[in-house]
Amino acid sequence: MKILVTGGAGFIGSNFIHYWLEKHPEDEIINFDVLTYAGNLENFKTIENNPKYKFIKGDVCDRDAVFAAVKDVDVVVHYAAETHVDRSIMDPSAFVRSNVLGTQVLLDAVKEYGKRFHHVSTDEVFGALGPEDPAFNEKTPYDPRSPYSASKAAADHLVRAYFHTYGIKMTISNCSNNYGRYMFPEKVLPLFIANLMEDKKVPLYGDGLQVRDWIHTLDHARGVDMILQKGKIGETYCLGGDNELTNMELTKTLLKVMDKDESYIEYVKDRPGHDRRYAVDFSKAKNELGWEPQIKFEDGLKDMVDWYKDNQEWVNRCRDGSYKDYYEKQYIIR
Ligand code: NAD
Ligand code: DAU
């Protein structure tokens, strides 16, 4: 099988590609990525000579490039997106362009060539929960509240509209907060790890009592794999980690793992429109696909911290921007 992975040079896409080539060495992966600040080819150091892996530098909004790439594969797994909520608050335009228009261009291509399409989405499309509300599931009405989640919701609606109108072979997954290796140091966990490695404080927004559900990104990759194998065309699957933590609990757990005390917490101004709580009910994926998360948070977090410590140079290059020069010198873009 030949799979086009869009946005494969980002955090979750990189982990998916490593996961897939290890689990399905007979398959071919084409990584299609425009390499925004979040795309890093250094993540493929260990597989750049693998004949089953190929990189194409391309923008999902570029019709010619997308049609040429989609024509040549069996399946498209669509990760490419602008993904950081704080950046979407500062400037929504790149989010609408890549996440909405880019998804529509891909949908036109899969419609034209009759390809299988899996759309990777987020639990943020469902909005925010109160403390006693039941967790999100596939029937929860959409209520996005940030420019990022609104752009992802628009993309999800387009994917379903192309299914109902044109009969494309699609599935969608809505997943909760991922963590793991190769995560660009701007979202809460990698930012806090990188700061603590430099003996700096960590900026906790507002009262720190917002709740997120944390899932290891390799559990997410396995979920997408099982949807591709067993998911029903036209269906949506919610994937979650069964691991709700307040940001304060998350931070204190991390401080312990990194041998730091609570004086490293700096309370800062809250994020505008900050969603209070996310939680995901993944019983449909469990009952229909036999999927559930397997990696325990304490093990996954320890692995993540160890990886960041072992890859201090990778973190430094992300932080000072030099990773862009680094890969251009080191890696051939095919
Ligand atoms: P990321 O920001 O780390 O990576 C995104 C990748 O997409 C980058 O490599 C970037 O270069 C690429 N990209 C952006 N715009 C592009 C364009 N126009 N054309 C081609 N490539 C483009 O993101 P991530 O955290 O790995 O998220 C991947 C996907 O998973 C996104 O669709 C996101 O909405 C979804 N998701 C993320 C999480 C999470 O916790 N990070 C949770 C659920 C769902
Ligand atoms: O729920 C899935 C979503 O999770 C994905 O769709 C998004 O792409 C991903 O970025 C993530 O969104 P969040 O906004 O939940 O992630 P972030 O890491 O930015 O923030 C997690 C929580 O930590 C949130 O409540 C805000 C808080 N936070 C974040 C940062 C960056 C802080 O307290 N301090 C910080 O510096």
Side-chain angles (χ1 to χ4, degrees), residues 69-263:
V70 169
K71 189 176 184 183
D72 194 35
V73 298
D74 305 302
V75 176
V76 178
V77 182
H78 178 34
Y79 288 97
E82 289 292 338
T83 65
H84 189 35
V85 173
D86 293 327
R87 286 181 188 254
S88 83
I89 293 167
M90 286 185 287
D91 180 9
S93 49
F95 288 72
V96 174
R97 181 186 177 278
S98 291
N99 303 3
V100 186
L101 178 63
T103 301
Q104 188 237 318
V105 171
L106 274 161
L107 288 168
D108 282 344
V110 298
K111 170 183 159 237
E112 174 76 17
Y113 300 119
K115 307 294 182 175
R116 170 85 162 83
F117 183 72
H118 180 72
H119 177 62
V120 178
S121 190
T122 168
D123 61 355
E124 296 197 14
V125 296
F126 301 120
L129 296 168
E132 304 304 327
D133 289 337
F136 302 132
N137 66 33
E138 292 77 6
K139 295 199 167 79
T140 306
Y142 275 38
D143 184 22
R145 293 153 42 99
S146 73
Y148 162 69
S149 52
S151 70
K152 292 296 291 187
D156 293 13
H157 288 318
L158 278 171
V159 176
R160 286 195 196 93
Y162 272 61
F163 167 71
H164 291 295
T165 310
Y166 307 112
I168 64 158
K169 292 176 278 179
M170 69 76 171
T171 40
I172 298 179
S173 50
N174 294 89
C175 189
S176 56
N177 285 61
N178 283 223
Y179 71 98
R181 302 175 178 191
Y182 306 118
M183 199 170 181
F184 191 84
E186 65 177 352
K187 293 175 186 167
V188 73
L189 263 178
L191 174 75
F192 284 16
I193 293 170
N195 276 13
L196 293 170
M197 288 196 316
E198 290 178 20
D199 208 36
K200 289 187 184 146
K201 291 192 173 198
V202 298
L204 193 57
Y205 294 168
D207 61 7
L209 297 180
Q210 302 79 13
V211 175
R212 295 293 182 267
D213 168 48
W214 292 94
I215 178 173
H216 195 278
T217 196
L218 293 177
D219 275 330
H220 184 185
R222 199 168 39 78
V224 172
D225 186 351
M226 293 179 85
I227 293 169
L228 289 174
Q229 288 177 47
K230 298 190 192 168
K232 279 201 211 115
I233 297 301
E235 293 288 316
T236 292
Y237 297 89
C238 284
L239 303 175
D242 198 15
N243 183 35
E244 282 186 60
L245 294 171
T246 64
N247 292 334
M248 178 93 75
E249 288 167 333
L250 178 80
T251 306
K252 287 184 180 172
T253 306
L254 178 66
L255 288 169
K256 228 180 239 162
V257 171
M258 296 194 67
D259 236 350
K260 302 279 188 195
D261 63 44
E262 289 175 23
S263 67

Side-chain angles (χ1 to χ4, degrees), residues 245-298:
L245 294 171
T246 64
N247 292 334
M248 178 93 75
E249 288 167 333
L250 178 80
T251 306
K252 287 184 180 172
T253 306
L254 178 66
L255 288 169
K256 228 180 239 162
V257 171
M258 296 194 67
D259 236 350
K260 302 279 188 195
D261 63 44
E262 289 175 23
S263 67
Y264 280 85
I265 299 178
E266 183 169 17
Y267 291 91
V268 299
K269 206 167 140 243
D270 209 353
R271 171 185 281 175
H274 199 166
D275 287 343
R276 199 66 182 166
R277 174 177 165 239
Y278 305 144
V280 171
D281 171 356
F282 54 85
S283 35
K284 178 176 173 183
K286 190 172 175 180
N287 297 336
E288 292 186 15
L289 312 173
W291 176 89
E292 59 185 322
Q294 290 177 344
I295 299 171
K296 282 197 197 125
F297 185 65
E298 59 264 33

